[in-house]
Amino acid sequence: MNRKPKIVILGAGYGGMMTASKLQKANAHHDAEITLVNKHNYHYQTTWLHEPAAGTLHHDRTRMRIDSVIDTNKIHFIKDSVTEIKGEEKKVLLASGELEYDYLVIGLGSEPETFGIPGVEKNAFSIRSVNSVRLIREHIEYMFASYNNEEEKNEGYLAFIVAGAGFTGIEFVGELSERIPELCEEYDIDREKVKIYSVEAAPTALPGFDEELVNYAVNLLESRGVEFKISTPIKEVTENGVVLEDGEEINASTVVWTTGVRGNSVLEKSGFETMRGRVKVEKDLRVPGYDNVFIIGDCAIIINEEINRPYPPTAQIAMQQADTCAKNLRALLAGKEQLAAFKPDIKGTVASLGGKEAVGLVGSKKLYGTSASAMKKVIDNRYLFMLGGMPLLLKKGKFNIF
Amino acid sequence: MNRKPKIVILGAGYGGMMTASKLQKANAHHDAEITLVNKHNYHYQTTWLHEPAAGTLHHDRTRMRIDSVIDTNKIHFIKDSVTEIKGEEKKVLLASGELEYDYLVIGLGSEPETFGIPGVEKNAFSIRSVNSVRLIREHIEYMFASYNNEEEKNEGYLAFIVAGAGFTGIEFVGELSERIPELCEEYDIDREKVKIYSVEAAPTALPGFDEELVNYAVNLLESRGVEFKISTPIKEVTENGVVLEDGEEINASTVVWTTGVRGNSVLEKSGFETMRGRVKVEKDLRVPGYDNVFIIGDCAIIINEEINRPYPPTAQIAMQQADTCAKNLRALLAGKEQLAAFKPDIKGTVASLGGKEAVGLVGSKKLYGTSASAMKKVIDNRYLFMLGGMPLLLKKGKFNIF
């Protein structure tokens, strides 16, 4: 009696979740024993996390139980942490057990990139998980609540530094600038006392983005009181704020670190050849040297040959990779040797700026303000529909479009 | 031309606020220039503060703008802090100015009694103002938010020590035990991981209260997971919790100090003869030696001759004293020499236990559960009605009685 081949999917982020969902829809569980492993029993939308971090959206709106989307009678679910992948032995070590596989999909996501800057891990917050953003939200509120209880007012309590003015940094600053007036009201604090700094080492906010859109975003955020410090590398993060390259210190009890990501450290630890924690995969998303291991999402590098640079780690690409990965797994199960190549189809990029504001490029069309904001919600809703169809969209969708 | 005599009222707590309100209703501003001084531009209900401290009621429900109750065209309002009273010079020093008076009403309220126990001021929270309870609420949430972000879980984050099982301590523990399950849900934490300790040096919870009622309260709170440590003096409060007299340490990141109050330290500083910060006043509420200075509320001591002990510092007595004080001020303005003696009329005492639970004595009748809880709300509403009539009652009242 032939046993069914075992497919193990590590991580229930955009890539892993969508791979599992696609396999389930294609009834691949008839031909394979499929197992999904994730640290939590829920999936969350990483690209929405700047909102619960600022407190403008409840975190439960950004997450869903895995078994509400995946039929766990068809796909086994294991709640556990991955500690190491043993590629030669076709085994995965978990915090409390191990799993054997015939085919492996690695979708373990990313970790904050600190560039080795001292104090980041100890003193800065990061927007990376439901746990981490709940902490940011509560830390911000705690600083507001503390301020009026001090005999000698500590202005650092009301100063918020967002390190990195890339996509996540700008989106978080946008939400925060919307949230601050509410917090001032709640805690009897003058708005003028509160400082929001967006600090960026590169010579522009939103590096790589269209200049007109960048200007729109910066002007809007400045009008909400955000102070930009561009071309300003950070030397160190301390308990009391940051020290800049030029020696200037900014006193702030809250530093949120958003200077980009690197691949999950499990890959490096497992002996894969990595660049900033990411593995350069073949066109069919398999790891060179392992014809049974796929890597998708933030842990995978695919080179954009037009500019000879890797595609950025985005949800859009992770989901498209999941599509290719699921197809290729089905081909392998069917005994085919010819696998499909991953072809990204970048539909556009929209950065929300809080409230009804956003900027974006869709195709070659520039969007601003409410139309960009509406498009952002369309993108968010489209993902929910792709993942869980109409029921999930109705439950978790964003419908306050105009 | 005769100038109008100046009445200055210090503090807009139960006593000061009610005195101002009574004088205004009696049109005393025609005969005197009346000034009310308070640190904030709002009045709050100290007896409700255990609720916003636990997060079961928003603090805005416990406060109201002073000018929403007092007509500031009739009674001047100054937002400032009192630093010293110069009785001989008939002057009050404020943080940013000074005031002269002909008649003074001191209603400056209380401060937490630490009994000189080391670490209380630095490491414990107290339930004393809107600012202090917002901080407690946010500190509790911050501990919940922090727990899941630590690699090595710190159980102290989920341990809450309430020092003192008197009225405020028990009422706070009651609210907290209702709030904890909501916080567990919000932060994905098992209820069993959370500890609530009620620590009391005296040989019983609610010392001085009817034994049957005490038993009811203790049993109810124990059923909600509260652990009582009775006859257990605290030796020290540290950054990590408390050290008990017997040397045992309880690891807890949150210690709320509710072991009673002493009079506002301004009185001691101003040279009045005080006992635990309170001044023993004459029957007409004037300070011995000063026939133009009244003290009411938590700063005043009146001896209950039946038991030869001072009446406890309660809102009920403060309000009754305000009544006598306002009458006596009007008598003085009218040139009368015979002032009324204060006669307390203790109507009863009800301690809320969170949710729809309470225990109380009204007259000689013992109340439990929902009927006690309803009575508590009647008491709270009665105060609002006395202070600001039907409009205030409708705005701030508690109507979810059953």
Side-chain angles (χ1 to χ4, degrees):
Chain A
M1 195 178 105
N2 278 341
R3 76 163 181 85
K4 279 191 200 174
K6 290 174 199 267
I7 299 176
V8 170
I9 304 169
L10 304 181
Y14 291 102
M17 197 70 175
M18 197 61 93
T19 303
S21 168
K22 296 258 174 199
L23 290 176
Q24 180 185 310
K25 281 177 196 159
N27 287 316
H29 51 284
H30 294 159
D31 307 315
E33 198 181 291
I34 308 173
T35 303
L36 174 64
V37 180
N38 195 56
K39 210 191 311 190
H40 310 289
N41 65 358
Y42 53 85
H43 161 73
Y44 55 84
Q45 288 158 274
T46 314
T47 62
W48 296 22
L49 287 179
H50 55 285
E51 298 180 53
T56 50
L57 185 80
H58 193 268
H59 54 260
D60 282 342
R61 288 285 305 282
T62 72
R63 67 173 172 174
M64 59 205 75
R65 285 185 63 96
I66 286 168
D67 61 14
S68 73
V69 178
I70 301 292
D71 182 343
T72 51
N73 293 316
K74 297 174 178 170
I75 296 189
H76 307 296
F77 172 66
I78 295 178
K79 180 174 171 290
D80 206 340
S81 301
V82 177
T83 54
E84 198 178 336
I85 296 154
K86 301 268 192 192
E88 303 301 328
E89 301 168 42
K90 298 186 183 177
K91 238 167 52 178
V92 177
L93 306 188
L94 307 176
S96 38
E98 57 178 65
L99 279 177
E100 293 181 354
Y101 62 81
D102 296 296
Y103 302 105
L104 184 68
V105 179
I106 303 175
L108 288 170
S110 60
E111 296 178 359
E113 174 63 273
T114 68
F115 301 108
I117 294 170
V120 175
E121 280 184 33
K122 183 159 173 286
N123 300 310
F125 296 93
S126 64
I127 296 173
R128 63 183 300 199
S129 64
V130 169
N131 278 329
S132 84
V133 299
R134 276 192 293 225
L135 184 62
I136 294 174
R137 177 191 71 188
E138 288 309 315
H139 181 78
I140 293 169
E141 285 227 27
Y142 192 46
M143 293 301 101
F144 271 87
S146 297
Y147 184 78
N148 276 333
N149 282 282
E150 301 284 305
E151 285 290 341
E152 303 226 341
K153 302 292 183 233
N154 181 345
E155 305 304 331
Y157 286 174
L158 302 181
F160 300 90
I161 295 174
V162 182
F167 225 74
T168 306
I170 288 295
E171 289 197 311
F172 177 62
V173 160
E175 296 301 318
L176 191 59
S177 65
E178 285 281 288
R179 176 81 175 125
I180 293 295
E182 293 174 10
L183 291 168
C184 288
E185 176 85 18
E186 174 78 2
Y187 294 99
D188 306 327
I189 285 170
D190 291 343
R191 172 63 185 86
E192 305 92 72
K193 290 204 171 129
V194 182
K195 307 275 182 214
I196 308 175
Y197 298 99
S198 173
V199 183
E200 171 61 51
T204 174
L206 293 169
F209 215 48
D210 177 89
E211 198 184 325
E212 266 184 72
L213 297 176
V214 174
N215 288 341
Y216 182 92
V218 168
N219 286 332
L220 178 85
L221 295 173
E222 282 181 342
S223 79
R224 294 203 198 127
V226 176
E227 190 172 323
F228 282 89
K229 289 188 171 281
I230 299 299
S231 300
T232 307
I234 289 171
K235 197 160 73 182
E236 189 182 349
V237 183
T238 69
E239 278 183 16
N240 305 313
V242 301
V243 183
L244 305 177
E245 275 291 341
D246 65 8
E248 193 198 335
E249 294 182 27
I250 308 178
N251 175 27
S253 306
T254 311
V255 179
V256 178
W257 198 257
T258 69
T259 64
V261 295
R262 50 184 292 124
N264 192 307
S265 53
V266 164
L267 279 110
E268 221 168 316
K269 199 179 155 196
S270 302
F272 291 100
E273 193 182 317
T274 58
M275 286 177 276
R276 294 176 59 185
R278 304 169 76 193
V279 176
K280 191 160 175 285
V281 292
E282 306 286 2
K283 286 192 162 40
D284 60 14
L285 302 174
R286 287 189 290 188
V287 180
Y290 293 93
D291 61 5
N292 63 336
V293 178
F294 294 83
I295 302 186
I296 58 177
D298 292 358
C299 292
I301 294 181
I302 297 264
I303 299 295
N304 178 350
E305 283 165 2
E306 283 176 37
I307 55 172
N308 199 29
R309 288 188 57 187
Y311 284 102
T314 66
Q316 189 174 191
I317 286 181
M319 287 187 283
Q320 291 175 2
Q321 289 176 334
D323 196 35
T324 305
C325 177
K327 264 193 209 122
N328 286 345
L329 281 166
R330 287 166 57 210
L332 289 171
L333 291 177
K336 294 182 189 161
E337 287 190 2
Q338 192 63 35
L339 298 192
F342 169 64
K343 284 193 201 67
D345 171 21
I346 311 292
K347 297 189 192 308
T349 316
V350 183
S352 66
L353 301 172
K356 304 281 186 213
E357 285 286 350
V359 286
L361 266 180
V362 175
S364 61
K365 191 168 163 46
K366 295 177 193 178
L367 296 175
Y368 302 86
T370 49
S371 57
S373 172
M375 178 58 72
K376 181 76 175 181
K377 289 181 176 124
V378 168
I379 294 168
D380 289 343
N381 288 340
R382 182 168 172 275
Y383 165 69
L384 289 170
F385 184 74
M386 283 168 63
L387 184 63
M390 198 48 86
L392 187 63
L393 176 57
L394 290 174
K395 212 159 91 186
K396 300 282 180 179
K398 292 177 172 176
F399 300 110
N400 53 339
I401 279 184
F402 291 109
Chain B
M1 194 178 108
N2 276 340
R3 76 165 180 81
K4 279 191 199 173
K6 291 174 199 267
I7 299 177
V8 170
I9 303 169
L10 304 180
Y14 291 102
M17 197 70 174
M18 197 60 95
T19 303
S21 168
K22 296 259 175 196
L23 290 176
Q24 178 185 310
K25 281 179 195 156
N27 288 317
H29 51 283
H30 293 158
D31 307 315
E33 197 180 293
I34 308 172
T35 304
L36 174 64
V37 181
N38 194 55
K39 211 189 314 190
H40 309 289
N41 65 357
Y42 54 84
H43 161 74
Y44 56 83
Q45 287 158 274
T46 313
T47 60
W48 296 22
L49 287 179
H50 56 284
E51 298 180 54
T56 49
L57 185 80
H58 194 269
H59 54 261
D60 282 343
R61 288 285 306 281
T62 73
R63 67 173 172 174
M64 58 206 74
R65 285 184 64 96
I66 285 168
D67 62 12
S68 74
V69 178
I70 301 292
D71 183 342
T72 52
N73 293 315
K74 297 176 178 169
I75 295 187
H76 306 297
F77 172 65
I78 295 178
K79 179 174 173 288
D80 207 340
S81 300
V82 177
T83 55
E84 198 177 336
I85 296 154
K86 300 269 193 192
E88 302 301 328
E89 302 168 42
K90 297 185 182 177
K91 241 168 48 179
V92 177
L93 306 187
L94 307 176
S96 39
E98 56 178 67
L99 278 176
E100 293 181 355
Y101 62 79
D102 297 296
Y103 301 105
L104 185 67
V105 179
I106 303 175
L108 288 170
S110 59
E111 297 178 359
E113 175 64 271
T114 68
F115 303 107
I117 294 169
V120 175
E121 281 185 32
K122 186 160 172 287
N123 300 310
F125 295 93
S126 65
I127 296 173
R128 61 183 301 199
S129 66
V130 170
N131 279 327
S132 84
V133 299
R134 278 193 291 225
L135 184 62
I136 295 173
R137 177 193 70 188
E138 289 309 315
H139 181 80
I140 293 169
E141 284 227 27
Y142 193 46
M143 293 301 101
F144 272 86
S146 297
Y147 185 77
N148 275 334
N149 282 281
E150 303 284 306
E151 286 289 341
E152 302 226 340
K153 302 291 183 235
N154 181 346
E155 305 304 330
Y157 286 174
L158 301 182
F160 301 89
I161 295 174
V162 181
F167 226 73
T168 305
I170 288 295
E171 289 197 313
F172 176 62
V173 159
E175 296 300 319
L176 190 60
S177 66
E178 284 284 285
R179 178 78 175 127
I180 293 296
E182 294 174 11
L183 290 168
C184 289
E185 177 86 17
E186 174 77 2
Y187 294 99
D188 306 327
I189 285 169
D190 290 343
R191 172 63 184 87
E192 306 90 73
K193 289 204 172 128
V194 182
K195 306 275 181 215
I196 308 175
Y197 298 98
S198 173
V199 183
E200 170 61 52
T204 173
L206 293 169
F209 215 50
D210 176 272
E211 197 183 326
E212 266 184 72
L213 297 176
V214 173
N215 288 341
Y216 182 92
V218 169
N219 286 333
L220 178 84
L221 295 172
E222 282 180 341
S223 78
R224 293 202 199 128
V226 175
E227 190 173 321
F228 282 89
K229 289 188 169 282
I230 298 299
S231 301
T232 307
I234 289 171
K235 196 160 73 181
E236 189 182 351
V237 183
T238 69
E239 280 183 14
N240 305 315
V242 301
V243 184
L244 304 178
E245 275 291 342
D246 64 8
E248 192 198 337
E249 294 181 27
I250 309 178
N251 175 26
S253 305
T254 310
V255 179
V256 179
W257 198 258
T258 69
T259 64
V261 295
R262 48 185 293 123
N264 192 307
S265 53
V266 165
L267 278 105
E268 219 168 318
K269 198 179 153 195
S270 303
F272 292 99
E273 192 180 317
T274 59
M275 285 177 276
R276 293 175 61 185
R278 303 169 76 191
V279 176
K280 189 160 177 286
V281 293
E282 306 285 2
K283 287 193 161 41
D284 60 16
L285 302 175
R286 287 190 290 187
V287 181
Y290 293 93
D291 61 6
N292 64 336
V293 179
F294 294 82
I295 303 185
I296 59 178
D298 292 359
C299 292
I301 295 181
I302 298 263
I303 299 296
N304 179 347
E305 283 165 2
E306 282 176 37
I307 55 172
N308 199 29
R309 288 189 56 188
Y311 285 101
T314 67
Q316 188 173 194
I317 285 181
M319 287 187 284
Q320 291 176 1
Q321 288 176 334
D323 198 36
T324 305
C325 178
K327 262 191 210 125
N328 285 346
L329 280 167
R330 287 167 58 210
L332 289 172
L333 291 176
K336 294 180 189 161
E337 288 190 2
Q338 192 63 35
L339 298 191
F342 169 65
K343 285 193 200 70
D345 171 22
I346 311 293
K347 296 189 193 307
T349 315
V350 183
S352 66
L353 301 172
K356 304 278 186 213
E357 285 287 349
V359 286
L361 265 179
V362 176
S364 62
K365 191 168 163 48
K366 294 178 194 178
L367 295 175
Y368 302 86
T370 50
S371 57
S373 172
M375 178 58 73
K376 181 77 175 180
K377 287 179 177 127
V378 168
I379 294 168
D380 288 344
N381 288 340
R382 182 168 172 275
Y383 165 67
L384 289 170
F385 184 75
M386 283 169 65
L387 185 63
M390 199 48 87
L392 187 64
L393 175 58
L394 289 175
K395 213 159 90 187
K396 301 282 180 178
K398 292 177 172 175
F399 299 111
N400 53 340
I401 279 184
F402 289 108

